[in-house]
Amino acid sequence: MNSFFRLIMLAAIWGGSFLFMRIAANPLGPAVLIEARVGFAAVTLLIIAFYLKKQLNMVENAKHYFTLGLFNTALPFLLFAYAAQFLNASTLSIFNSTAPIWGAIIGAIWTRTALTKPVLLGLGLGVIGVSVLVGWEAMSIGENAILPMMAAIGAAVSYGIATNYAKHAPSVEAFNNAHGSMWASVVLVLPLIFLSPAREVPTSEIAMAVILLGVVCTGLAYLLYFRLVSDLGPSSALSVTFLIPVFGILWGHLFLDEAIGFNTVIGSIFVITGTMLVTGFSPRQFFQQKAVQGE
């Protein structure tokens, strides 16, 4: 399996996560859904850790794992699950792809450095794309769309915080970061399920959506992502961000009959183009790199 195929597979899997959240968010509620998601993911990674004989050192790195678990998993997952009760999968996936834009803004504030012209242009395009989505959703859903959209943006901002934290965090193996932060998320989300229990007894369809969300879209997807980082480097692996909305829109249309509106296409183009400018990603360099690797 070459890196390009892994990239497409990861985008398809992560795009599918918004489909599964749409299916399970309303009947289970955000807290129960996400506790189940991170629980299945944590157990999956635990089994793999046993197989690979990897030591987690949970106590030694507890502060790091809980920080990463809060901003990279628990908080954004909960916010997206809340938003999934109201917004469609395509809209959620597009909001998700703005994470690098927020990461650039937070990074500039964090390091007190000026943003370059391409980054500023990318930020502007990203804002236009989000505005197109926000305006359309506000018209189609009404005032009830405001909080879900703010939650989705908050989730992307949380990912941006996690990205900047990771740059200054203790040096821990990528697999252990995923594994440790997932168990930390289990602990962080657990108290919330008593405040917001499930609304319905899950059907077989809902149960399957949750299992796939936890095992495939979270546990196994992290492994696939870190393999890409190892093969291509962080910058090229980040290109998966641009592909996730394509699959989020596709899966929502195929399985939930979500309409692909003009606003969705235009919003996606602006957000993805803006994200590419912010991250400095070049499709040409990406494929040149793959040609050099002989893949």
Side-chain angles (χ1 to χ4, degrees), residues 2-86:
N2 63 35
S3 297
F4 183 72
F5 183 71
R6 290 191 188 97
L7 192 72
I8 298 299
M9 181 183 293
L10 182 60
I13 290 171
W14 272 343
S17 66
F18 300 102
L19 166 70
F20 298 135
M21 280 195 286
R22 281 287 289 162
I23 292 171
N26 273 303
L28 296 183
V32 173
L33 171 59
I34 299 309
E35 180 65 12
R37 177 180 184 176
V38 296
F40 278 119
V43 171
T44 301
L45 292 173
L46 178 63
I47 294 169
I48 294 170
F50 274 124
Y51 176 76
L52 298 177
K53 298 180 180 179
K54 288 185 177 291
Q55 296 292 328
L56 184 57
N57 298 324
M58 189 71 188
V59 175
E60 180 182 338
N61 296 306
K63 182 179 179 181
H64 168 62
Y65 289 146
F66 272 90
T67 302
L68 200 59
L70 174 62
F71 291 108
N72 198 55
T73 306
L75 183 57
F77 281 11
L78 284 167
L79 290 171
F80 270 130
Y82 169 76
Q85 298 173 107
F86 307 92

Side-chain angles (χ1 to χ4, degrees), residues 79-120:
L79 290 171
F80 270 130
Y82 169 76
Q85 298 173 107
F86 307 92
L87 306 179
N88 59 35
S90 58
T91 302
L92 293 170
S93 65
I94 297 168
F95 274 121
N96 175 79
S97 68
T98 65
I101 294 176
W102 296 109
I105 295 173
I106 294 166
I109 296 171
W110 195 317
T111 59
R112 297 181 181 179
T113 56
L115 296 172
T116 63
K117 289 181 179 179
V119 171
L120 289 171

Side-chain angles (χ1 to χ4, degrees), residues 230-251:
S230 175
D231 290 346
L232 302 176
S235 297
S236 293
L238 187 65
S239 58
V240 70
T241 306
F242 318 130
L243 297 171
I244 291 173
V246 175
F247 286 98
I249 293 167
L250 178 62
W251 300 149

Side-chain angles (χ1 to χ4, degrees), residues 128-193:
I128 292 172
V130 169
S131 298
V132 170
L133 292 171
V134 168
W136 185 267
E137 293 294 337
M139 286 189 296
S140 60
I141 299 176
E143 292 183 0
N144 290 334
I146 302 301
L147 282 178
M149 287 188 293
M150 289 178 63
I153 292 172
V157 171
S158 185
Y159 283 135
I161 294 172
T163 298
N164 283 279
Y165 164 76
K167 293 176 182 178
H168 305 87
S171 179
V172 176
E173 184 186 357
F175 176 86
N176 285 347
N177 271 336
H179 188 195
S181 64
M182 209 58 63
W183 282 112
S185 299
V186 170
V187 175
L188 289 168
V189 178
L190 182 61
L192 299 180
I193 67 174

Side-chain angles (χ1 to χ4, degrees), residues 274-295:
T275 303
M276 285 185 174
L277 287 169
V278 166
T279 59
F281 175 77
S282 168
R284 183 164 86 196
Q285 289 180 357
F286 173 80
F287 285 106
Q288 284 178 344
Q289 177 184 0
K290 287 178 53 55
V292 170
Q293 293 172 340
E295 295 182 348

